[in-house]
Amino acid sequence: MLRISCPYCGTRDEVEFHCGGDSHIVRPGPEVSDAEWSDYLFNRKNPKGVHYERWCHDFGCGQWFNVARDTVTHEIHAVYRMGDPAPDLEQ
Amino acid sequence: MSQPYRTAEGGRIDLSRPLGFTFNGKPYQGYRGDTLASALLANGVRVVSRSFKFHRPRGILSAGVEESNALLGVDYGSGTLPLIRATRMPLLDGLRAESQNCFPSVNFDLLRVLDYTRPLWPAGFYNKVFKWPSWHAFEWAIRKTAGLGRLPEGEDPARYRHMNAHCDVLVVGAGPAGLMAALEAARAGDHVIVVEQDTEPGGSLLYDPAEINGQSPDNCRAETMQALNACGNVRVMVSATVVGYYDHNVLTIHDCSSAYRREDPAEVFWKIRAGRVVLATGAIEQPLMFGNNDLPGIMLAGAMHQYASRYGVHCGRRVAGVVNNDLAWHSVVALQDAGMEIAAIIDTRDAVNEQVTDLARERDIAIHIGAAPLYARGSYMVRKLEYRDGKGRSGSIDCDAIAMSGGMNPTVHLYSQAGGKLRYDKDLACFTPHECRQQVAVVGAANGEFATPHSYNIGPRTPSPAKTNTQWIDFLHDVTASDIELAWRENYRSVEHLKRYTTVGMAVDQGKTSNLNALTLLGELTDRTPGEVGTTTFRPMFMPVTMGAIAGNRRGDFYAPAKLLPAHEWHLAKGAAFDDYGGWKRPAYYGNNRERCIVREVLKVREAVGLFDGSSLGKIEVKGPDAAEFLNRIYVNTVPTLKPGKVRYGLMLNEKGVAMDDGVFLRLAEDHFLVNTTSAHADRITAWLEEWHQCEWPDLDLVLTPVTSQWAVATVAGPQARAVLGSLPGMLDLSAENLPHMSFASGVFEDGTDYRIQRVSFTGEQSYELSVPADRATALFERIWLVGQAHDIGMFGVESLTLLRLEKGFFEVGVETDGSTNPFDIGFGGIIANKKGDFIGARSLERAEDRRADRRQLVGFEPEERKATVLAGAHIVTGTGSGRRSEGFVTSACMSPTLGRTVGLALLERGAQRKGETIQLYDQGQIVSARIVDTCFYDPDGERMRG
């Protein structure tokens, strides 16, 4: 059960949040090819290591924010606001 | 004589507090402080159960969590609970225990025939036999004999609770190492929780005479507990087992302390968040492999020592010790010090230090070094042990108990659950903690320090020269050494395959006394060290946990919170029969007879006027300069062209172009909209809108406010609707010119209640949805009901609404649509062609797949037989023989009260082009012919709605 630091509310238990999967996905415009659109809809990297994902504080402030979490150790390396660029983490 | 195996001193037991209990109906006596196991042993009860597969007689094996034989049905007040370990169950007055898995009794079990035919049932036998004529011919018999224990019947009378806590340091285990760690942390100012699964703290201090830092174990224990209690920041829990270790130092505890005091709630399930964790979980002694090592009377040496020392119970009169390590010698000779006769000690190692053998010589105990135990003999309990000594000569020892020790194995389950990696220690011949990413330390025996202050020098863990199919490895699942060999011969050589093929370690003890022997043996067969073979994954729960404890109080009405309409009581008084609709309790119909009521309600709405509660529909306010632009990207329909005061229907898609939700939206002002969603999706769509706004389009200037529960909505529908509502004092002009269909207006009733009235119809009749603040709901419904009497008003519920909308061919998202239905399929081609601007799902609709002409499209149908019964889910079939296939299915159908015939909607390949065609509906073996017609069966021009 993770402990997540909401940038607005502080440290809370995982049950207050829900994970929205990969962050930093750029929604393509309507002119892209079928392959590019399909990539946007279905393909994700699924890394073993640092994963940049978005979480929503459902049972708190209701805000979305970003988390850099290690998919193996579950260590949370960074929490940053929605819209901010991903931090540069040496791995 | 009562309790023939209890010593006069009684160990630590207070002999002045006797308790009565029964076992298999027979009354016995024990004492407060006993476990059920110690009390049974004191009374000389040897056979307590029958083994899982072969129904062999079994006795108590251990004194702790690792017990694999004495799993009994126990009733101490709340009904008989199955699979209770007698070694962990504190003896309570009036407790009733029974053997499981035996018929007719534990002393005479008919199914022992399986033991006498053992060669037929090796590991994995079910993959090889029962093939002809088919598995199912034998299944009933196998199911009857499989399993252990009976489930109690009826509702669980016990109540359970969940608790949460956090601390700086969580210490698991209150043995000497755990208590020391707790004291150190407490003295440093940390808030400490110590959790002990036994009924009192102390661990080995309760029976091991070895001194701790020059102090007697009793003094050490008393002083440490006193010091801990004096710290003031320490909580000590007993009869509580830490069962799971999760991410970020969250651990779960199964706490039975209240249950054993027979208080309410019975069991408590804790979730603890710890700053750091100290695991002092000890080590578990392993059995040795030799012939018939599962006979009653054969026990782990340390356990026998604990029974003698702590409980004052002799596990036999004349004991033979069979060991492979120095540490076990101390346990065995201690038995003589406690008054038992030791027949001999057999040590499988070729050489043993003099210091160790002196322990036996001082006590005149015969010893056999470099000897191999061969077979334990006896029918219902051990009578003698046959062995071969170091020089190859055969011998036998008369005994009524055997104390065996195959060495210790640290209890690393929680450490592994935490993500800790193990390493195989060659000198200790076991797995010890290596490294862990979480904030956890392992101390004491669990860290491999189980021998201190004695020597260890453990010898090999190998089967004896006896026949391997008589040497038991997993007592609970009845797995022998020959089963391991079988797995190896059949090429199941990975530890994961070994586990699953033989089921070793898969029983409710999770291999606490079997895994190490099994993988060591597999290593020998495949020329690998145990470290190379490795272990399988340790998973929660460490010990079985009652389902009730996990549920806590989330049962019955508390299982899921129900959402009630603001006028719930009023509907109840009107005879509403409620049902669950997307989390809301809504009236399905009003009255007693479901079918008759639904028909009556439909006709009432068509002929006069009906009153319906639409409060549960989702309502979201979208306000800001960019509100129209935002909603235009959300909906398929065009938004910005809607004028203030008007209402428009909207369909939402997901990014894959699939219909997701629908409802009307109102323009309250240039920058202010009210979005309606279906009742079930109100929360989901609010979250959806927030997600798109916050994550994708944060530059759009708007605010979203969910107001579903702020407004109660009374829907008045029927030819008399206008007349009814018009007679409410303060109601605005409801003429068609002032309030046309798909428009809304606001007003104030004479009593000051704000209202908004929108003209929207899902029934196909003239229909108004009147919204007031939720706390005025009951008053509003009552008022409408009263003025409606003059117009023959009646209540109608969700079920009749479903029929009314079906007669009009109005689809319901999730009923007429599924996970692949796009808007083209349900007739939105024109709207999409006229839509300007990108919207969610738009790009997906450009795909060739989404535009195929032969997609399943929404159609109406009428069976040729007017009153034929057609059910949703019936398939439309075409073709013959092997070419027969489904080309669609019925989504909704009903016997229409208004039309006096059956009508329905279906999704049919190329449906849009097949009007007039006759199709075949297949349902449960019957074929019904039907004609494809337009989706709207009633008032196709919509005059009744728009008047």
Side-chain angles (χ1 to χ4, degrees):
Chain A
M1 218 242 283
L2 304 178
R3 259 187 132 184
I4 301 172
S5 288
C6 170
Y8 309 98
C9 303
T11 308
R12 299 294 179 91
D13 278 352
E14 185 183 336
V15 288
E16 293 189 17
F17 305 85
H18 93 268
C19 182
D22 284 40
S23 192
H24 306 294
I25 295 175
V26 180
R27 183 171 187 265
E31 340 73 33
V32 295
S33 67
D34 274 357
E36 285 168 291
W37 185 250
S38 171
D39 199 53
Y40 156 68
L41 284 181
F42 305 113
N43 290 334
R44 300 289 181 265
K45 281 205 200 68
N46 194 24
K48 182 176 182 176
V50 184
H51 187 231
Y52 301 92
E53 54 196 30
R54 52 187 192 126
W55 288 75
C56 182
H57 197 183
D58 291 331
F59 295 101
C61 58
Q63 298 306 298
W64 283 90
F65 57 95
N66 290 314
V67 172
R69 175 183 65 92
D70 190 301
T71 58
V72 176
T73 66
H74 295 304
E75 194 186 331
I76 290 180
H77 297 293
V79 170
Y80 51 108
R81 291 176 191 229
M82 180 56 59
D84 286 351
D88 186 15
L89 296 167
E90 284 162 66
Q91 280 307 304
Chain B
M1 186 211 139
S2 158
Q3 302 191 56
Y5 290 83
R6 178 87 62 183
T7 64
E9 309 79 35
R12 300 177 63 90
I13 299 290
D14 178 0
L15 298 175
S16 70
R17 306 176 74 183
L19 302 174
F21 69 102
T22 69
F23 178 56
N24 291 330
K26 194 166 157 203
Y28 292 97
Q29 211 181 52
Y31 296 99
R32 185 164 302 280
D34 262 331
T35 59
L36 177 56
S38 64
L40 286 169
L41 287 166
N43 281 282
V45 176
R46 290 310 189 105
V47 179
V48 296
S49 68
R50 292 285 173 150
S51 70
F52 173 64
K53 204 161 134 191
F54 298 119
H55 294 257
R56 292 166 65 84
R58 289 284 170 81
I60 292 159
L61 170 72
S62 74
V65 300
E66 66 272 27
E67 182 58 35
S68 338
N69 286 337
L71 270 62
L72 309 177
V74 174
D75 178 3
Y76 57 93
S78 310
T80 303
L81 306 170
L83 300 172
I84 301 293
R85 282 162 177 74
T87 53
R88 297 218 313 150
M89 181 70 222
L91 191 69
L92 301 174
D93 204 27
L95 183 149
R96 294 201 306 266
E98 61 186 38
S99 303
Q100 302 174 151
N101 200 43
C102 51
F103 180 78
S105 79
V106 74
N107 291 317
F108 180 73
D109 187 354
L110 289 170
L111 281 171
R112 182 115 189 240
V113 65
L114 293 165
D115 189 30
Y116 302 137
T117 52
R118 232 185 309 149
L120 292 178
W121 325 112
F125 72 91
Y126 31 81
N127 297 319
K128 298 169 185 166
V129 302
F130 309 127
K131 292 234 187 243
W132 181 90
S134 97
W135 157 254
H136 297 289
F138 305 92
E139 193 180 348
W140 63 271
I142 309 253
R143 284 199 187 278
K144 270 188 123 68
T145 54
L148 269 179
R150 264 183 319 118
L151 282 176
E153 314 237 322
E155 205 180 299
D156 187 349
R159 292 193 320 181
Y160 307 88
R161 187 192 290 164
H162 284 178
M163 292 284 286
N164 297 297
H166 60 92
C167 59
D168 297 318
V169 183
L170 179 71
V171 178
V172 184
L179 290 175
M180 305 282 185
L183 190 55
E184 193 184 314
R187 283 190 172 140
D190 285 329
H191 172 218
V192 181
I193 298 180
V194 185
V195 188
E196 170 56 52
Q197 61 91 19
D198 205 329
T199 50
E200 48 175 332
S204 60
L205 295 173
L206 297 167
Y207 63 91
D208 190 331
E211 287 191 343
I212 313 276
N213 298 332
Q215 253 191 330
S216 79
D218 272 341
N219 282 349
C220 175
R221 182 178 169 275
E223 270 186 31
T224 312
M225 287 308 300
Q226 204 175 40
L228 274 175
N229 291 329
C231 281
N233 54 350
V234 180
R235 184 213 292 259
V236 179
M237 297 171 67
V238 293
S239 295
T241 312
V242 178
V243 289
Y245 197 145
Y246 304 92
D247 296 312
H248 294 203
N249 269 4
V250 163
L251 293 94
T252 50
I253 299 173
H254 183 213
D255 177 3
C256 295
S257 55
S258 172
Y260 296 152
R261 289 193 302 271
R262 290 189 265 213
E263 283 169 12
D264 214 19
E267 298 173 14
V268 181
F269 197 67
W270 294 76
K271 235 188 293 193
I272 311 281
R273 174 87 68 183
R276 61 187 177 87
V277 176
V278 176
L279 296 176
T281 43
I284 292 174
E285 196 161 29
Q286 301 298 301
L288 271 178
M289 286 177 268
F290 54 92
N292 303 322
N293 59 340
D294 70 326
L295 270 174
I298 303 180
M299 301 173 64
L300 299 169
M304 244 192 234
H305 179 193
Q306 201 182 143
Y307 283 117
S309 194
R310 181 177 171 187
Y311 299 99
V313 172
H314 288 170
C315 297
R317 301 278 180 231
R318 195 171 138 86
V319 183
V322 184
V323 304
N324 74 347
N325 61 86
D326 292 350
L327 185 60
W329 283 70
H330 296 270
S331 299
V332 177
V333 303
L335 296 176
Q336 195 188 61
D337 297 344
M340 294 165 83
E341 186 195 340
I342 309 294
I345 297 182
I346 290 180
D347 197 312
T348 60
R349 298 173 288 173
D350 289 330
V352 181
N353 283 340
E354 228 177 67
Q355 253 183 326
V356 174
T357 55
D358 278 347
L359 292 168
R361 292 210 180 83
E362 288 162 11
R363 293 168 172 83
D364 282 329
I365 298 172
I367 57 181
H368 304 279
I369 308 297
L374 293 176
Y375 294 96
R377 298 292 185 197
S379 52
Y380 289 90
M381 57 182 266
V382 63
R383 294 275 177 226
K384 64 178 177 178
L385 173 66
E386 291 166 2
Y387 68 96
R388 192 170 357 171
D389 75 5
K391 297 189 174 61
R393 295 175 301 211
S394 306
S396 94
I397 303 166
D398 287 334
C399 56
D400 67 345
I402 295 178
M404 64 175 168
S405 177
M408 306 297 286
N409 194 26
T411 309
V412 294
H413 305 64
L414 293 174
Y415 183 76
S416 293
Q417 290 176 26
K421 301 277 177 280
L422 303 175
R423 54 172 279 276
Y424 185 72
D425 187 313
K426 282 206 301 290
D427 295 324
L428 298 178
C430 63
F431 288 89
T432 54
H434 179 46
E435 62 180 4
C436 182
R437 63 176 186 254
Q438 299 220 54
Q439 293 285 310
V440 57
V442 187
V443 298
N447 200 27
E449 294 152 32
F450 39 74
T452 328
H454 307 297
S455 57
Y456 193 50
N457 295 318
I458 185 171
R461 278 200 181 87
T462 43
S464 88
K467 288 215 293 273
T468 50
N469 69 349
T470 65
Q471 302 188 49
W472 300 87
I473 288 191
D474 187 331
F475 296 107
L476 228 170
H477 258 177
D478 262 349
V479 178
T480 58
S482 65
D483 290 323
I484 311 298
E485 290 171 347
L486 176 66
W488 162 72
R489 278 202 306 277
E490 303 203 351
N491 211 27
Y492 293 100
R493 305 207 171 171
S494 133
V495 68
E496 304 286 356
H497 285 149
L498 173 73
K499 168 182 169 179
R500 286 151 181 88
Y501 189 67
T502 62
T503 74
V504 71
M506 287 180 73
V508 296
D509 65 343
Q510 293 176 43
K512 291 180 174 67
T513 52
S514 55
N515 281 339
L516 189 56
N517 277 344
L519 63 91
T520 303
L521 176 54
L522 182 66
E524 305 244 320
L525 294 167
T526 57
D527 202 26
R528 290 177 290 176
T529 66
E532 286 164 338
V533 175
T535 60
T536 53
T537 311
F538 295 83
R539 301 187 198 280
M541 312 284 175
F542 173 67
M543 294 296 287
V545 177
T546 321
M547 294 296 270
I550 295 170
N553 67 352
R554 295 191 63 167
R555 0 167 354 178
D557 286 338
F558 292 100
Y559 176 68
K563 294 195 264 207
L564 303 180
L565 300 171
H568 178 87
E569 296 294 324
W570 188 87
H571 291 294
L572 202 56
K574 284 282 173 285
F578 288 91
D579 212 340
D580 186 279
Y581 294 98
W584 291 90
K585 288 232 184 299
R586 304 174 69 182
Y589 57 92
Y590 294 78
N592 291 323
N593 185 302
R594 185 188 180 95
E595 301 309 322
R596 277 210 295 273
C597 289
I598 293 172
V599 168
R600 185 192 67 219
E601 290 173 15
V602 169
L603 294 174
K604 175 70 72 178
V605 171
R606 294 274 181 243
E607 292 161 5
V609 57
L611 175 58
F612 174 88
D613 194 324
S615 305
S616 57
L617 258 64
K619 308 165 203 73
I620 307 165
E621 285 191 32
V622 185
K623 187 168 182 180
D626 295 325
E629 171 59 28
F630 176 70
L631 288 176
N632 206 39
R633 300 182 192 180
I634 298 288
Y635 280 119
V636 166
N637 313 72
T638 303
V639 173
T641 55
L642 187 67
K643 308 251 182 304
K646 291 298 187 191
V647 183
R648 182 171 292 170
Y649 169 83
L651 175 70
M652 290 185 196
L653 312 178
N654 62 25
E655 273 282 53
K656 297 180 187 68
V658 170
M660 190 176 69
D661 197 67
D662 68 346
V664 301
F665 57 96
L666 285 60
R667 191 162 202 163
L668 303 172
E670 185 64 28
D671 65 345
H672 196 181
F673 290 79
L674 181 68
V675 168
N676 279 137
T677 74
T678 59
S679 304
H681 292 163
D683 296 332
R684 197 134 61 86
I685 298 301
T686 306
W688 175 253
L689 298 178
E690 279 288 353
E691 186 181 342
W692 281 96
H693 182 216
Q694 289 186 36
C695 300
E696 192 63 39
W697 303 312
D699 45 304
L700 292 182
D701 188 358
L702 59 102
V703 172
L704 298 158
T705 311
V707 293
T708 304
S709 52
Q710 315 305 310
W711 296 96
V713 181
T715 303
V716 181
Q720 300 297 312
R722 182 180 280 131
V724 170
L725 288 172
S727 47
L728 289 176
M731 178 54 67
L732 48 89
D733 175 10
L734 295 179
S735 65
E737 303 73 43
N738 195 47
L739 195 68
H741 187 56
M742 297 303 268
S743 66
F744 73 93
S746 302
V748 184
F749 285 126
E750 263 177 19
D751 67 354
T753 305
D754 289 313
Y755 69 85
R756 182 173 50 238
I757 184 161
Q758 61 202 50
R759 226 183 121 180
V760 176
S761 181
F762 198 43
T763 55
E765 297 304 319
Q766 199 181 86
S767 166
Y768 298 85
E769 293 176 5
L770 185 51
S771 302
V772 294
D775 58 337
R776 305 295 173 105
T778 303
L780 176 69
F781 276 92
E782 183 62 21
R783 226 172 323 140
I784 296 173
W785 179 257
L786 287 175
V787 304
Q789 291 307 301
H791 302 276
D792 200 23
I793 196 168
M795 301 301 302
F796 70 105
V798 179
E799 293 304 314
S800 50
L801 179 67
T802 302
L803 261 61
L804 288 159
R805 66 96 202 171
L806 177 54
E807 290 172 342
K808 282 293 292 182
F810 291 151
F811 63 81
E812 281 189 31
V813 171
V815 178
E816 270 64 50
T817 74
D818 64 16
S820 61
T821 313
N822 72 24
F824 297 127
D825 304 332
I826 49 179
F828 276 69
I831 288 177
I832 288 166
N834 290 332
K835 170 86 180 207
K836 305 221 181 341
D838 192 20
F839 57 94
I840 296 170
R843 178 61 187 82
S844 288
L845 298 178
E846 306 270 318
R847 299 178 299 194
E849 181 64 29
D850 279 70
R851 300 203 169 229
R852 268 179 30 226
D854 62 346
R855 284 178 66 91
R856 290 187 183 153
Q857 293 150 357
L858 191 65
V859 297
F861 68 86
E862 285 174 350
E864 258 149 32
E865 192 202 313
R866 279 182 67 86
K867 306 216 173 159
T869 305
V870 178
L871 297 177
H875 277 270
I876 302 161
V877 291
T878 187
T880 51
S882 58
R884 194 170 171 76
R885 66 179 194 90
S886 164
E887 48 177 1
F889 54 92
V890 173
T891 59
S892 305
C894 75
M895 172 42 212
S896 159
T898 309
L899 305 162
R901 62 159 303 117
T902 301
V903 297
L905 299 172
L907 285 170
L908 173 67
E909 286 174 15
R910 282 178 297 108
Q913 296 140 48
R914 295 171 68 175
K915 229 156 279 191
E917 238 184 77
T918 301
I919 52 166
Q920 310 300 316
L921 304 174
Y922 173 89
D923 182 30
Q924 297 187 84
Q926 308 293 324
I927 298 277
V928 172
S929 273
R931 224 164 30 92
I932 304 292
V933 296
D934 197 60
T935 53
C936 183
F937 307 95
Y938 171 81
D939 183 32
D941 294 325
E943 278 164 21
R944 292 179 74 89
M945 221 165 47
R946 285 186 243 272

